[in-house]
Amino acid sequence: NRSISYRNRQFNLNPSKEDITQNINDILDYFSSFDSCIEDGENSAAELQGLKRIYWKILNYMFLSPFLAYFRYLAHKYDFDETIYPIYLIITGDSGIGKTSFVQSVQKLMLNVVPQKFFARNLKKDEFDGFKVYAKGLPLLIDEMDNDRWGKLKNTVKADDFLFEKSYLNHPCFIMPSNNITYLESEIQRRCIYFKTDVRLDETKTAYKNREIKHFQKEFSNALYCEY
């Protein structure tokens, strides 16, 4: 079934080479824009490159995410460990490094719109489990996850057997930016992708970058993703 849609809107899976090239160039410019936010310091450039590598990995993970449910189902069916295809990603770092806006930018690259985000502070366990059933194939953004809220929600990460029992083949994955989750128990960690960065960006420069990000998000299309 070579089709993809979001909110009943069908996407063009045969984008022009010009649109794909423009989309790629916009992505590269977006990553390069982080260079202007670097703090002065001996290790700042290396730390920034590390952050950009993390963001590149998150982009690739989100692009793959609509297929993870099916991969996990097959792994479970044939007695492989489905946790090799985790559906939970946590990135922890300073509040000013653009974690949330980056995830939203990738959502725009996939869907051509930025969908609703959800706040961890308002989320209950049954609602979290409900997303697994009713959200189809999306990488969902659960923002402002902190240690306290994670402590109340983390066990849902281990409660996914019903997805296999009921053959849910289109459940979402969950992207959860945080400022302070610095430790995951081993049983949780093997079910998650976890990134931690200590990089800090210049606050004044980052304030200007926020305007630039809005421009990028406005210009982003999903041509590359449709080709993908």
Side-chain angles (χ1 to χ4, degrees), residues 110-171:
M110 296 176 66
L111 305 171
N112 221 22
V113 296
V114 177
Q116 178 184 356
K117 69 176 178 179
F118 302 91
F119 290 96
R121 64 178 178 270
N122 300 327
L123 198 60
K124 299 178 181 177
K125 182 182 179 300
D126 58 344
E127 293 172 323
F128 203 131
D129 290 336
F131 285 147
K132 298 176 187 179
V133 176
Y134 298 110
K136 304 295 185 182
L138 285 176
L140 293 183
L141 172 57
I142 311 295
D143 204 13
E144 298 181 4
M145 185 66 73
D146 59 23
N147 274 318
D148 179 64
R149 201 74 204 125
W150 179 243
K152 295 179 173 64
L153 294 172
K154 65 183 180 181
N155 285 333
T156 190
V157 172
K158 298 188 293 183
D160 288 337
D161 286 348
F162 75 95
L163 296 174
F164 308 120
E165 293 165 1
K166 296 184 179 295
S167 300
Y168 287 126
L169 303 182
N170 293 293
H171 62 72

